[in-house]
Amino acid sequence: MPDEAAPEGRITGGKPWSDRYTYWPARRAGNLLFISGTTGTDDAGNITAPGDIVEQTRQVFRKWAPLLEEAGCTFDDIVQTVDHFTTTENYRGTAAVRREFFKRGMPTSTGVLVSGLLRPDALIEIHAIAVIPDAAR
């Protein structure tokens, strides 16, 4: 459940979050959870697998797990994802990663090829929307 001391709707996955940031990792609004664009970084902000879009995708989903849990969701509750990616090289390999995390059906999805992302070594950034189950509201 959300941290009662946190601003209403803020989801951080149990990690400290500085007020200097102008966004939250995720935000709960009614029965929806909006997950911010996420790149494959470690806790220090370093890209975990430079040059490897498949492993960067896996790291994005790993980072989502505590956000989903805090909101009372699982990957099965995600209904939409949007991928922004800088290369089509091995992009098809990200499908296998999606199958690792989305066990009971796939969300709708859009892929957008972009010329660059804010983090220079990031090959993919993904954001999502989940429907929060009644039991978690």
Side-chain angles (χ1 to χ4, degrees):
M1 297 308 289
D3 177 358
E4 296 304 320
E8 185 175 344
R10 180 172 72 179
I11 304 289
T12 65
K15 294 187 177 193
W17 195 256
S18 174
D19 287 336
R20 74 180 175 95
Y21 296 126
T22 58
Y23 71 98
W24 294 337
R27 181 171 182 159
R28 179 186 194 130
N31 71 330
L32 298 176
L33 178 67
F34 297 88
I35 301 176
S36 290
T38 308
T39 55
T41 57
D42 61 20
D43 288 340
N46 302 307
I47 294 294
T48 56
D52 186 344
I53 195 169
V54 172
E55 188 54 36
Q56 286 185 28
T57 300
R58 187 172 285 112
Q59 179 63 9
V60 166
F61 293 155
R62 285 185 198 120
K63 289 171 64 174
W64 285 1
L67 300 173
L68 291 164
E69 183 179 345
E70 182 177 332
C73 296
T74 69
F75 281 90
D76 294 327
D77 300 309
I78 294 176
V79 295
Q80 181 181 46
T81 62
V82 178
D83 299 2
H84 293 87
F85 49 94
T86 62
T87 180
T88 57
E89 184 178 334
N90 211 18
Y91 180 69
R92 290 179 124 173
T94 65
V97 177
R98 292 172 66 83
R99 288 184 187 97
E100 289 174 28
F101 289 86
F102 299 104
K103 305 278 190 202
R104 295 178 48 208
M106 294 293 162
T108 64
S109 184
T110 300
V112 182
L113 181 61
V114 297
S115 61
L117 296 166
L118 185 60
R119 294 184 186 279
D121 290 332
L123 299 177
I124 191 164
E125 181 170 332
I126 310 171
H127 69 267
I129 301 171
V131 176
I132 300 168
D134 288 339
R137 287 189 237 158

